[in-house]
Amino acid sequence: MKYDVIVIGSGPGGYIAAVRASQLGQKVAIIEKYATLGGTCLNVGCIPSKALLDSSHHYYDAVKHFEEHGILVDTPKIDFPKMIERKAKVVEQTTGGIKYLMDKNKIDVYEGLGSFVDATNVKVTKNDGSEETIEGTNIIIATGSKPSTLPFISLDKERIITSTEALKLPEIPKHLLVIGGGVIGLELGSVYKRLGADVSVIEYMDKIVPGMDTDVSKELQKVLKKQGVKFFTSHGVSSVERNGDEITVKATNKKGAEVEFKGDYCLVSVGRRPYTDGLGLDNAGVKVNERGQVEINDHLQTNIPNIYAIGDVVKGAMLAHKAEEEGVVTAEFIAGQKPHIDYNLIPGIVYTWPEVAAVGKTEQELKDAGVDYKAGKFSMRALGRSRASGDIDGFVKVLADKNTDEVLGVHIVGARAADLIMEAAVAMEYRASAEDLARICHGHPTYSEAVKEAAKAAWDGKPLNA
């Protein structure tokens, strides 16, 4: 069978690329080695983790906050298997939605491992061992990523686990040790802390979420510490051992002393690696770099012009929405259009509570680049909406060019930050100034007023409610 476009991988990047290509009149096939579509994000990533984050948030509120709202209930109890079952249903519904999109857009779905025969032919090895080869004028690699580990850690996937296993544990841990203070570790650590586990986060760097603005990192650590999460930054893990149901993690602190941690589960969340296993890139002559990422140009083409690569398998942040945008751009480029993607305006989000979201440059990046900038900051505590809901932790920080007032970065810690950040992304897409944001009438009372106030603080240094 011959296709205009073959997509290998059905995650957010792959299935969106397939849909967009079909919308633009291409004959499309998609290859997925697992029984369900949607890739890591929908099956063992974004969607199931958010389902557990929401469920655990409801429980935490019932235990910690209902009474202050005048809601008196008997001591809430956790039906953990029910919580996991609900998560599974959410995943099932979502992946089923992808199957519907494939059918709606007349995209042929091949279940099996896709591997290059050459630059235009892809072999599909099915689970029963049978093989089928299909031909594509254009081929898009969207095979995503897998959890990374450290060379000395042996993952047994029972008690020394990755994020995949953390989403389907048979019980709530008594003490969850989390190696890595990045997004995944903090989100899953938050889930189990809310449900009653002790949680210790062991991070090699001197701050959590190291790639985010320093003020954001400090605020998030302060808030999560208040919720009971323990942090051990500047700790380099040297060994992880299991003895029965007990896990021992040894690490060296910043003073050079060895420290020992004990728990019943250890989540290894030290990042993810591009996944190209079994893809047969050599057969097509596709190059990868020293980090295992598929090399691409500005049009997401590999060194073989008819082969493209998107998402976690290429350079850049490993984010589902980044992969989606790359999928759209690739499909449109193949169809002869001239799309664009601004990587500076891809938001980063942490779905703890409060949430964390950022777009554009951090203060440190502006300092390192020698940019003359100004900053405006506004506390969520000063908002009427925050006081009404009880979500008073966090702030909005707006960074703007000191000479032109153009918004260069926005950083938020607070309730619904994941949604609020899109106001900043839209503004920055149109190169808005801090004054522009400050002069837009925002509804009252809303969390979004903090964006307006922070923008005014950056523009003229005079927020109205602080």
Side-chain angles (χ1 to χ4, degrees):
M1 184 72 76
K2 185 170 183 178
Y3 294 92
D4 298 316
V5 178
I6 296 174
V7 181
I8 307 176
S10 71
Y15 90 76
I16 287 291
V19 168
R20 187 61 179 140
S22 178
Q23 288 176 343
L24 296 173
Q26 309 287 306
K27 181 175 173 60
V28 183
I30 192 166
I31 303 170
E32 174 54 60
K33 75 174 193 173
Y34 294 111
T36 56
L37 303 174
T40 293
C41 176
L42 274 66
N43 288 279
V44 290
C46 324
I47 300 302
S49 65
K50 302 318 165 276
L52 287 183
L53 279 160
D54 276 345
S55 294
S56 61
H57 188 109
H58 287 312
Y59 173 74
Y60 185 81
D61 273 350
V63 172
K64 298 288 186 179
H65 299 305
F66 273 14
E67 190 172 339
E68 68 190 56
H69 286 276
I71 304 170
L72 302 180
V73 297
D74 293 333
T75 305
K77 296 179 181 177
I78 301 169
D79 184 342
F80 191 59
K82 181 75 173 178
M83 196 176 287
I84 296 296
E85 181 187 336
R86 175 187 175 273
K87 179 232 24 169
K89 284 181 180 177
V90 171
V91 169
E92 182 182 352
Q93 291 166 354
T94 310
T95 55
I98 307 305
K99 178 66 171 65
Y100 164 77
L101 287 174
M102 298 301 101
D103 293 340
K104 176 186 174 184
N105 289 281
K106 298 180 173 56
I107 297 163
D108 291 343
V109 178
Y110 291 82
E111 184 181 332
L113 176 66
S115 61
F116 284 97
V117 176
D118 52 40
T120 56
N121 290 279
V122 179
K123 179 174 68 178
V124 182
T125 305
K126 301 176 183 177
N127 292 333
D128 63 5
S130 63
E131 296 178 351
E132 182 176 0
T133 298
I134 57 178
E135 184 180 354
T137 304
N138 298 283
I139 300 170
I140 302 173
I141 300 167
T143 47
S145 62
K146 293 287 184 184
S148 295
T149 185
L150 297 172
F152 52 83
I153 296 178
S154 177
L155 296 166
D156 62 19
K157 299 190 176 182
E158 292 177 353
R159 291 190 177 269
I160 304 174
I161 59 176
T162 70
S163 56
T164 301
E165 295 77 44
L167 292 165
K168 53 182 180 182
L169 290 180
E171 62 184 351
I172 298 167
K174 296 180 181 67
H175 188 181
L176 176 65
L177 305 175
V178 179
I179 300 176
V183 176
I184 295 170
L186 295 181
E187 289 183 354
L188 292 173
S190 288
V191 167
Y192 289 109
K193 181 60 201 171
R194 294 168 187 169
L195 298 179
D198 287 332
V199 175
S200 298
V201 176
I202 307 160
E203 168 57 46
Y204 178 77
M205 303 294 285
D206 61 357
K207 65 175 187 174
I208 62 172
V209 285
M212 302 194 91
D213 190 89
T214 299
D215 282 352
V216 164
S217 174
K218 288 178 180 176
E219 180 73 7
L220 182 59
Q221 183 168 333
K222 182 181 79 174
V223 172
L224 293 181
K225 189 176 179 181
K226 190 167 64 175
Q227 294 174 9
V229 179
K230 296 182 176 70
F231 291 96
F232 301 88
T233 54
S234 299
H235 278 62
V237 172
S238 54
S239 71
V240 179
E241 301 293 339
R242 176 179 176 180
N243 183 14
D245 290 346
E246 184 179 73
I247 307 299
T248 302
V249 174
K250 292 182 180 178
T252 304
N253 66 20
K254 60 184 175 184
K255 295 180 180 177
E258 186 174 80
V259 185
E260 193 172 271
F261 304 90
K262 291 186 181 294
D264 55 337
Y265 287 89
C266 177
L267 169 61
V268 181
S269 55
V270 293
R272 299 180 66 85
R273 64 173 180 86
Y275 183 67
T276 57
D277 301 13
L279 194 52
L281 293 176
D282 289 346
N283 295 335
V286 174
K287 292 181 180 177
V288 297
N289 64 21
E290 67 281 356
R291 299 181 64 184
Q293 298 165 323
V294 178
E295 291 187 351
I296 53 170
N297 63 16
D298 291 342
H299 299 299
L300 297 151
Q301 287 172 299
T302 68
N303 60 299
I304 308 300
N306 71 301
I307 300 177
Y308 300 76
I310 63 174
D312 289 3
V313 82
V314 302
K315 62 185 178 181
M318 290 186 173
L319 298 169
H321 43 284
K322 178 248 194 190
E324 288 182 348
E325 292 307 307
E326 290 179 332
V328 170
V329 165
T330 301
E332 291 178 350
F333 184 77
I334 288 171
Q337 298 184 7
K338 296 181 179 179
H340 84 283
I341 183 170
D342 186 343
Y343 286 97
N344 183 53
L345 298 184
I346 294 175
I349 303 167
V350 189
Y351 292 89
T352 49
W353 196 263
E355 292 175 339
V356 177
V359 67
K361 303 298 185 187
T362 67
E363 273 204 72
Q364 192 59 52
E365 286 172 333
L366 294 177
K367 287 176 182 175
D368 291 346
V371 175
D372 201 7
Y373 73 94
K374 52 188 179 178
K377 200 171 179 182
F378 189 81
S379 172
M380 288 293 186
R381 187 179 296 270
L383 283 182
R385 182 69 180 87
S386 294
R387 289 194 295 273
S389 67
D391 297 300
I392 57 176
D393 290 317
F395 61 82
V396 176
K397 181 163 77 170
V398 173
L399 304 172
D401 188 286
K402 198 166 188 176
N403 300 308
T404 67
D405 198 38
E406 181 180 350
V407 178
L408 302 175
V410 177
H411 306 272
I412 306 175
V413 180
R416 303 299 171 202
D419 300 297
L420 293 178
I421 199 62
M422 293 318 302
E423 174 180 0
V426 170
M428 291 170 68
E429 178 69 38
Y430 288 94
R431 302 194 65 175
S433 66
E435 181 183 358
D436 289 331
L437 269 180
R439 289 195 180 278
I440 293 172
C441 182
H442 286 64
H444 175 76
T446 61
Y447 299 120
S448 69
E449 289 175 282
V451 177
K452 174 187 175 78
E453 293 278 16
K456 193 169 190 310
W459 164 42
D460 69 359
K462 298 173 183 177
L464 297 170
N465 284 285

